[in-house]
Amino acid sequence: MRILHATSELYPLVKTGGLADVSAALGAAQRALGHDARVVLPGYPEVLAALAADATLLEQITEVGGFRGRILRGALRGVEMPAYVVDCPALYDRPGGPYLDASGHDYADNALRFAMLSRAAADLALGADHDYPPDVIHGHDWQTGLAPAYLAHSQAARPRSVHTIHNLAYQGVFSADIFPTLGLPEDAMQMEGVEYHGGVGFLKAALWYADALTTVSRTYAAEIQTSAFGLGLEGLLRGRRADLTGIVNGVDYGVWDPRVDPELPRRYGPDSLGGKLVAKAALRDRFGLGAARGPLFVAVARLTPDKGLDLVARAAEALGEFDAQLAILGTGDSGIEAQLLALASHDPSRVGFVQGYDEALAHVMQAGADVTLVPSRTEPCGLTQLYAMRYGSLPLVRRTGGLADTVVDVAAETLDRATGFVFDEPSPEALLGAMRRAASLFEQPCLWTQVQARAMANDFGWESAARRYLDVYSNRGDQRTCLERVLS
Ligand code: ADP
Ligand code: GLC
């Protein structure tokens, strides 16, 4: 099958979160199954710098809002699938991140930047590369949300479009003024189209036009059809529930496995955990923490209210009770950053905070941790809890979205299958209760190592998810037996 992924992030070139990891690894897993998966993404400076010198220029010129994009096809350094790069320096050649300028503000022209990406994806879907007419165009998140709209309004024969919601909180809503620049017909600007609360909704467009929809866990697929989690899109999602599938993300164990991880001071595996202690010592050093008897809790996250790190800041005041420590790496909301900075400066030998984005340190943190905290208020899937398990750090998560689907709580009746700690209420007290339970298990090395060994042996590799996407592409629905569904 020829599968074209359209994405705004791709590990290892452009990453602000899990979307980058998934975009790279899913396509690679599909190629490993014998399919011709490729990717189209914007020509940010880091992407053009990684593009092979012998890249081919396609004849197609993609036009949006008076901007012209060229499409280059070639290999990208560090990426395991052929890529199409949309070269439009006026929209993409600038310092800063993929969405925000160097001072942290959204680029004022994000609508056009991602309409260009969506349009280029649609052009490719319609055969811009004569050698590669895709069978499926698979878009990710709001940034490629207009691609199914362009396709639906084209007169030409088009491939099937599948769209994945990685996070409903980011919807790409813009003022109606941009509509005339998008190159869509007048009648697309209505409720049965791209219109959303009087403006233009990129994600809404995908939810309306794509042939099939997926999101990144079964629980989140159910949650987003409710008013508590649907963020205004629950009605539309309920209307499309027959076309919506929840598929939990996988892990690229070529990148996230302590046996092969080049970022670790010393590699290790389930049979010899010496390297884990070395990583823990390195982490204490890096965060200026002293020695302690209790567990080392870590968190690596974008600091948004959804991630719940403000709960950690409030719960952390009680760390001394069980002589535990806390190390956090993250960047984002300035209020949460300030809370964490204050916490670290109040008790520096117990709490450390590195403000920023540091891929290498994120790996060492999973390795050095005893417990990885993911106290999210909402979490479509979450990757850090999956990484934690492979590194022998027990995840401590809130029961929501993909966290609920991937971590089994340590409790009397689950001791033979538990892999971490789960709490329910999004409150510092509930979080602290789970941290206490973790600290108490930590004092029982025999039980701790049992749970740890099980977590490390867990297999969240991409193959089964990659196969489930193939079913969605071929519209085969959920082919598993009832029993398999219950067990998954
Ligand atoms: P989300 O996509 O919502 O941010 P995920 O758990 O799916 O959440 O993915 C987060 C990814 O981003 C992981 O690979 C994690 O290691 C990485 N990450 C998040 N924040 C940072 C940071 N400050 N520095 C390095 N890596 C980070
Ligand atoms: C989003 C979600 C996260 C998910 C990731 C990859 O950023 O917030 O839960 O793991 O996408 O699908």
Side-chain angles (χ1 to χ4, degrees):
M1 212 181 245
R2 286 182 294 267
I3 306 152
L4 179 65
H5 290 277
T7 184
S8 59
E9 296 188 28
L10 192 67
Y11 175 83
L13 304 175
V14 205
K15 171 169 170 178
T16 70
L19 171 63
D21 292 6
V22 172
S23 303
L26 172 58
Q30 291 169 331
R31 291 185 73 81
L33 292 174
H35 299 280
D36 189 354
R38 303 189 185 187
V39 62
V40 54
L41 77 169
Y44 311 115
E46 340 29 358
V47 171
L48 287 171
L51 186 64
D54 63 355
T56 310
L57 179 63
L58 303 189
E59 276 167 30
Q60 176 77 42
I61 297 290
T62 295
E63 296 193 43
V64 174
F67 291 92
R68 292 162 63 81
R70 306 184 312 159
I71 304 179
L72 296 153
R73 181 189 65 210
L76 286 173
R77 197 179 338 103
V79 173
E80 290 174 46
M81 61 189 147
Y84 297 92
V85 174
V86 187
D87 181 30
C88 182
L91 294 178
Y92 303 130
D93 181 12
R94 47 185 80 170
Y99 320 119
L100 308 178
D101 64 21
S103 51
H105 298 108
D106 281 330
Y107 296 117
D109 55 356
N110 270 346
L112 278 177
R113 297 173 73 237
F114 294 106
M116 172 63 81
L117 174 61
S118 300
R119 179 83 247 189
D123 286 344
L124 286 162
L126 294 172
D129 181 353
H130 308 301
D131 299 331
Y132 184 79
D135 299 305
V136 178
I137 161 99
H138 185 160
H140 299 267
D141 272 351
W142 74 263
Q143 294 87 346
T144 58
L146 289 190
Y150 287 125
L151 287 175
H153 287 283
S154 109
Q155 303 307 316
R158 61 179 184 86
R160 187 165 158 82
S161 62
V162 173
H163 206 84
T164 296
I165 306 161
H166 292 267
N167 195 329
L168 199 65
Y170 304 95
Q171 301 188 354
V173 181
F174 301 95
S175 131
D177 302 346
I178 64 144
F179 181 75
T181 64
L182 300 178
L184 283 163
E186 287 287 314
D187 65 347
M189 190 57 182
Q190 56 168 313
M191 207 166 86
E192 288 84 20
V194 305
E195 188 274 337
Y196 187 53
H197 293 304
V200 174
F202 277 41
L203 182 62
K204 187 268 170 154
L207 302 189
W208 177 259
Y209 287 106
D211 297 315
L213 302 172
T214 73
T215 189
V216 287
S217 68
R218 278 206 305 167
T219 295
Y220 193 63
E223 286 173 344
I224 56 180
Q225 296 178 49
T226 67
S227 55
F229 289 88
L231 299 166
L233 289 166
E234 60 273 18
L236 177 50
L237 285 162
R238 269 200 304 273
R240 297 218 56 193
R241 64 183 171 279
D243 306 317
L244 172 65
T245 312
I247 303 176
V248 165
N249 289 324
V251 173
D252 183 346
Y253 290 126
V255 178
W256 290 98
D257 187 323
R259 286 174 288 206
V260 298
D261 192 333
E263 307 295 353
L264 305 190
R266 200 208 296 168
R267 294 179 195 173
Y268 65 92
D271 301 327
S272 65
L273 290 166
K276 188 162 177 67
L277 293 177
V278 178
K280 186 169 180 177
L283 215 55
R284 281 195 169 131
D285 236 30
R286 176 74 169 78
F287 284 82
L289 305 174
R293 188 174 39 80
L296 172 57
F297 293 94
V298 311
V300 179
R302 296 181 294 108
L303 300 179
T304 63
D306 278 348
K307 294 286 177 187
L309 270 293
D310 54 311
L311 303 176
V312 175
R314 282 154 66 205
E317 286 156 18
L319 283 174
E321 247 181 58
F322 33 92
D323 198 17
Q325 295 174 317
L326 173 64
I328 298 181
L329 167 64
T331 175
D333 184 293
S334 54
I336 303 176
E337 286 182 349
Q339 250 181 318
L340 295 174
L341 280 171
L343 190 72
S345 65
H346 175 70
D347 199 355
S349 67
R350 204 174 280 294
V351 181
F353 172 46
V354 170
Q355 179 182 357
Y357 189 94
D358 186 334
E359 187 73 25
L361 182 56
H363 286 246
V364 181
M365 291 188 67
Q366 295 286 10
D370 296 306
V371 178
T372 297
L373 299 173
V374 198
S376 309
R377 291 187 169 83
T378 80
E379 192 63 75
C381 178
L383 294 171
T384 53
Q385 82 280 11
L386 304 180
Y387 299 157
M389 288 190 248
R390 182 50 61 111
Y391 284 73
S393 166
L394 299 189
L396 189 161
V397 307
R398 196 174 95 72
R399 197 185 314 278
T400 185
L403 302 174
D405 293 358
T406 56
V407 180
V408 179
D409 187 36
V410 170
E413 65 284 6
T414 56
L415 263 185
D416 58 336
R417 52 196 176 89
T419 51
F421 308 92
V422 185
F423 67 99
D424 287 285
E425 283 308 306
S427 69
E429 295 73 27
L431 168 62
L432 186 58
M435 290 169 77
R436 277 202 187 97
R437 290 198 290 126
S440 120
L441 193 78
F442 192 69
E443 284 175 4
Q444 306 171 66
C446 191
L447 281 179
W448 182 271
T449 49
Q450 269 177 36
V451 180
Q452 184 183 47
R454 191 176 307 119
M456 291 182 89
N458 236 335
D459 183 4
F460 285 98
W462 265 105
E463 189 181 328
S464 84
R467 288 188 194 282
R468 293 202 55 206
Y469 278 107
L470 295 174
D471 289 341
V472 172
Y473 299 157
S474 12
N475 202 10
R476 282 201 301 265
D478 194 341
Q479 297 287 296
R480 294 168 307 155
T481 62
C482 198
L483 180 65
E484 282 169 338
R485 249 176 271 150
V486 170
L487 293 177
S488 76

